[in-house]
Amino acid sequence: MKANTGKIIDVDLSAGTVKVEQLPEEYYTKYIGGSGLAAKLFWERGNFDADALSPEAMLLFMNGPFAGLKLSGASRHSTAGRSPLTGGWGDSSCGGFLAPELRYAGYDGFILTGKAAQPSLLLIEDDKIEILDASEYWGQGATQVTESLKKRFGKAYRTLVIGPAGENLVRYSIILNEGHHATGRAGFGAVMGSKNLKAIVVKASKKKMELVDPERFEELRKELNPKIREALASDVLHENGTAANLIGGMYAGDVPIRNWTSNFWEEAADALTGSTLTETYLTKRGACAYCNIACKRIVEVKEGPWAIPEGPGPEYETIVSFGTLIGSIDLAATCKAGRLCNDLGIDTISTGGTIAWAMEAFEKGDLTKDDTDGVELNWGDLETVIDVILPKIAAREGKLGELLANGSVAASKKIGKGADYTVHAKGLEAPMHDPRGGGHGMALTYAVEARGACHVADPMLFAEMGARYYPEIGFEYELEPRTDENKAEAAVDMVAFGAIENSACFCQFADAEVTIPEWVELFNIVPGYEWDAEEMMRAGRRVFYLKRMINYRFGRTADDDKLTKRMLEPATDGEPEGVEINFEGMKQRFYELMKIDPEKAIPVKEVLVEYDMADEAGAVW
């Protein structure tokens, strides 16, 4: 086996034991790596009856086969398991620097079960793997702990840290790499917290990995890195970050405003867009390992109520979550809110989505001061958000903190009101792309992806922008965003391709410049999967199917492949005003094309056999 080491670490925090095991090579060629490999391991070993925050719950961190390559976008990792926010399958991709360090240390990933007797950290140094006491860090913010770990072990040690929110089991807690790069979605910081695990620290003594054909890879790398960097999209991302196209998104109706009640706010476009951030607060650009796009922002707000020292800056999702979504166009405040969320350890998307829901509930009278500890929740009041609401959520403090710490869906259930204006799929708050303007195909993929509403589970967002063409596999659609035409057909390829991206742990910004033949060649000259394009796409489809089958074993059915009333009601302004989404029509067509049972929402048995999943079929049919 090349590139992949074939080795994973199995940690039982209750017993305090660590063992290294070898995986069959077939696991990789069938499920690729990353989230696909995690799904395979969870399918075989996971406790489907265990609560996500119980000691029996399994938390997996997995690399893709390209981790460690000096190739832009290739060194992400995936975290996966049962989501404490949704109760279903969850996975979350993270950039940064952990993936290559873990690969160089000799591992493709690690699995955590059990619960440590006291706050702990996991230290991985090549063959030396230890569970150490971390009591001194418990209760501290993620930023402070990251700095302390760097001082204790050294700057070259790579860190994963949770904040106080994870300790307090806030169900959308994050895991932060190097104090900057977030495993943001699905709440895995709370799973680490439930296991009394404050941090994971990794260091390899050497920086080497074996490839099937290193000479050919080096030739290809020298072609791909310049191609990726010199692409127009990469140049825009480098210059103005992930919010570079916020103005375009605003005029398309893609940017959600005041809990998805509006699709246009002209003043907000200029106030929050990436070039404004560049001109006002950017001090330098940051990057993940070996990536020359460098889309990350380093910012400093020098004065005013939201002054923050130089450090990680907000990406598009954070800017909109703490901007238009809650009725604000204060860019400095979004910088402050994002920085605070990192330190507390909470996902900016779910946090912003939950606060936006609460603001609308307060406006409608569905929430009163009796429910909020006397706190008024008003659109655009960032002072209250930053000084009061975020700390309350992270600490589960008072009625308000406890209500919002479980997300918008649980909050609406608790008060018995407001379900119609929640914005989620499968319990995961939607990202900051509104399908009514951004593209109706995205409404379909929000609903059918295993973890819920997600814009990076597949590249449908980019396909509807006209930025994805793969003629080698017959994907040559020219998609009109605000119609259902060819959306189900496009989604068939996009969900498979998204599964490949997230299993290979390849950044969607970088891999957009990689052609299908180049993808296939990478899989063949790096880990040696010996695929053609058809077999690669089959692997992606297989991963998509497996995650749906995991959800089925969690009790999910076709009734869970849906969007909320708010997400499907016609927009009241902007470019998509009055346009209806043919959601049920797209979903039915997608099921037909994918041969998915219309009640169980899993592939029919014959398809599973066709995809070499006969054993898995036996568990569900």
Side-chain angles (χ1 to χ4, degrees):
M1 190 178 296
K2 302 293 185 183
N4 296 308
T5 67
K7 292 192 298 183
I8 61 169
I9 306 166
D10 191 345
V11 181
D12 183 338
L13 291 160
S14 295
T17 59
V18 173
K19 65 178 180 180
V20 175
E21 60 178 295
Q22 195 83 27
L23 297 180
E25 190 163 353
E26 182 190 53
Y27 283 19
Y28 296 86
T29 54
K30 288 185 70 173
Y31 295 98
I32 307 172
S35 69
L37 181 60
K40 171 63 174 173
L41 293 168
F42 191 92
W43 175 265
E44 290 192 340
R45 308 177 185 195
N47 183 336
F48 284 82
D49 296 322
D51 184 90
L53 300 179
S54 69
E56 293 76 21
M58 175 180 286
L59 183 61
L60 306 97
F61 298 76
M62 291 293 151
N63 273 350
F66 306 146
L69 298 177
K70 294 180 179 179
L71 176 65
S72 287
S75 283
R76 301 177 68 85
H77 73 274
S78 184
T79 304
R82 188 171 199 175
S83 165
L85 179 63
T86 72
W89 172 257
D91 52 41
S92 186
S93 176
C94 180
F97 295 83
L98 182 95
E101 201 70 26
L102 186 65
R103 169 62 42 75
Y104 301 148
Y107 308 103
D108 297 331
F110 49 91
I111 300 175
L112 307 176
T113 54
K115 179 178 181 180
Q118 65 283 321
S120 301
L121 70 86
L122 177 67
L123 177 63
I124 302 170
E125 295 176 292
D126 296 338
D127 296 335
K128 180 183 174 184
I129 306 166
E130 299 178 285
I131 302 169
L132 304 178
D133 180 42
S135 299
E136 63 187 289
Y137 308 120
W138 204 253
Q140 296 181 6
T143 304
Q144 182 181 354
V145 175
T146 299
E147 291 173 354
S148 297
L149 293 173
K150 295 286 185 181
K151 288 179 181 176
R152 175 176 172 180
F153 294 104
K155 289 184 178 180
Y157 282 69
R158 301 306 184 184
T159 59
L160 293 175
V161 172
I162 64 169
E167 300 172 16
N168 295 320
L169 309 184
V170 175
R171 290 180 181 268
Y172 43 91
S173 302
I174 65 171
I175 306 168
L176 207 58
N177 172 233
E178 303 298 289
H180 189 160
H181 313 277
T183 297
R185 309 297 338 254
F188 293 123
V191 181
M192 272 185 63
S194 74
K195 297 183 178 306
N196 264 341
L197 190 66
K198 182 68 175 179
I200 297 160
V201 181
V202 180
K203 178 68 172 66
S205 61
K206 56 186 179 182
K207 308 289 184 187
K208 293 182 179 179
M209 58 186 291
E210 294 185 353
L211 314 182
V212 167
D213 189 341
E215 290 77 20
R216 175 56 194 145
F217 170 71
E218 187 60 17
E219 293 173 357
L220 185 57
R221 187 184 72 84
K222 290 180 178 177
E223 297 169 13
L224 288 177
N225 271 342
K227 185 169 78 162
I228 291 169
R229 178 60 187 89
E230 293 165 9
L232 176 60
S234 300
D235 198 48
V236 170
L237 286 164
H238 175 81
E239 190 62 28
N240 291 321
T242 55
N245 191 42
L246 196 148
I247 291 178
M250 182 65 74
Y251 282 92
D254 178 60
V255 182
I257 297 162
R258 294 189 184 89
N259 200 35
W260 296 50
T261 57
S262 171
N263 291 70
F264 186 66
W265 187 355
E266 186 170 18
E267 187 183 7
D270 287 327
L272 298 177
T273 196
S275 58
T276 303
L277 183 68
T278 300
E279 293 163 4
T280 52
Y281 304 121
L282 187 78
T283 59
K284 56 186 176 183
R285 296 169 176 83
C288 300
Y290 307 126
C291 184
N292 58 17
I293 296 178
C295 69
K296 299 294 178 79
R297 307 289 92 179
I298 307 297
V299 302
E300 179 183 13
V301 180
K302 293 183 177 178
E303 56 188 14
W306 315 124
I308 50 174
E310 184 179 66
E315 299 186 16
Y316 169 82
E317 295 292 329
T318 299
I319 290 173
V320 178
S321 295
F322 287 97
T324 59
L325 189 69
I326 57 175
S328 171
I329 57 172
D330 189 331
L331 187 57
T334 70
C335 293
K336 175 75 172 185
R339 190 75 64 83
L340 183 57
C341 284
N342 276 0
D343 192 49
L344 296 171
I346 44 179
D347 173 27
T348 55
I349 297 175
S350 279
T351 304
T354 300
I355 292 173
W357 170 85
M359 285 180 168
E360 183 169 349
F362 194 82
E363 182 180 57
K364 292 179 181 297
D366 291 343
L367 276 179
T368 69
K369 287 185 178 181
D370 289 339
D371 304 306
T372 65
D373 310 315
V375 178
E376 293 190 5
L377 306 178
N378 297 316
W379 297 115
D381 181 2
L382 266 291
E383 183 175 355
T384 298
V385 169
I386 291 170
D387 294 342
V388 180
I389 300 176
L390 295 182
K392 276 183 171 288
I393 289 173
R396 286 186 173 273
E397 180 186 300
K399 289 183 180 178
L400 181 61
E402 188 62 37
L403 178 69
L404 301 187
N406 295 324
S408 59
V409 178
S412 70
K413 288 180 180 177
K414 186 171 182 176
I415 67 169
K417 302 173 185 174
D420 285 353
Y421 52 87
T422 54
V423 180
H424 71 93
K426 297 185 175 71
L428 186 69
E429 283 79 13
M432 299 304 111
H433 295 283
D434 186 334
R436 293 174 296 183
H440 293 190
M442 199 161 47
L444 174 62
T445 54
Y446 275 3
V448 300
E449 285 290 357
R451 83 174 184 180
C454 176
H455 64 302
V456 291
D458 56 74
M460 195 68 183
L461 169 66
F462 299 108
E464 293 192 284
M465 288 179 176
R468 290 291 178 110
Y469 290 94
Y470 297 111
E472 301 88 350
I473 58 171
F475 190 89
E476 298 178 280
Y477 300 106
E478 294 186 6
L479 301 173
E480 166 55 40
R482 288 175 289 279
T483 75
D484 63 347
E485 184 178 2
N486 289 326
K487 297 303 171 63
E489 289 78 3
V492 168
D493 286 328
M494 290 298 94
V495 298
F497 205 82
I500 294 168
E501 290 176 313
N502 284 290
S503 300
C505 300
F506 209 155
C507 173
Q508 288 188 340
F509 294 145
D511 76 36
E513 309 305 325
V514 181
T515 65
I516 292 293
E518 289 165 342
W519 267 99
V520 172
E521 186 170 19
L522 280 170
F523 279 121
N524 291 336
I525 64 176
V526 176
Y529 287 173
E530 298 181 353
W531 283 347
D532 55 19
E534 181 181 357
E535 193 58 37
M536 182 181 77
M537 296 305 295
R538 276 173 56 84
R541 181 83 72 91
R542 189 180 296 119
V543 170
F544 179 79
Y545 283 156
L546 184 62
K547 292 178 182 178
R548 292 189 68 84
M549 292 162 67
I550 291 173
N551 267 345
Y552 176 71
R553 292 180 67 182
F554 282 139
R556 293 270 168 84
T557 68
D559 287 340
D560 295 292
D561 285 346
K562 63 184 179 183
L563 300 184
T564 64
K565 182 179 178 181
R566 171 59 52 82
M567 300 168 80
L568 292 175
E569 60 193 20
T572 58
D573 57 12
E575 188 67 23
E577 180 179 355
V579 179
E580 294 189 3
I581 296 178
N582 179 20
F583 175 74
E584 288 300 330
M586 290 190 295
K587 176 181 168 182
Q588 181 178 346
R589 178 63 176 153
F590 180 77
Y591 274 25
E592 291 170 358
L593 292 169
M594 295 289 283
K595 298 181 180 176
I596 290 174
D597 182 88
E599 294 183 3
K600 291 187 172 184
I602 56 175
V604 299
K605 184 176 181 179
E606 292 74 16
V607 168
L608 294 174
V609 172
E610 179 186 340
Y611 277 80
D612 300 324
M613 303 175 76
D615 290 344
E616 289 82 357
V620 293
W621 290 106

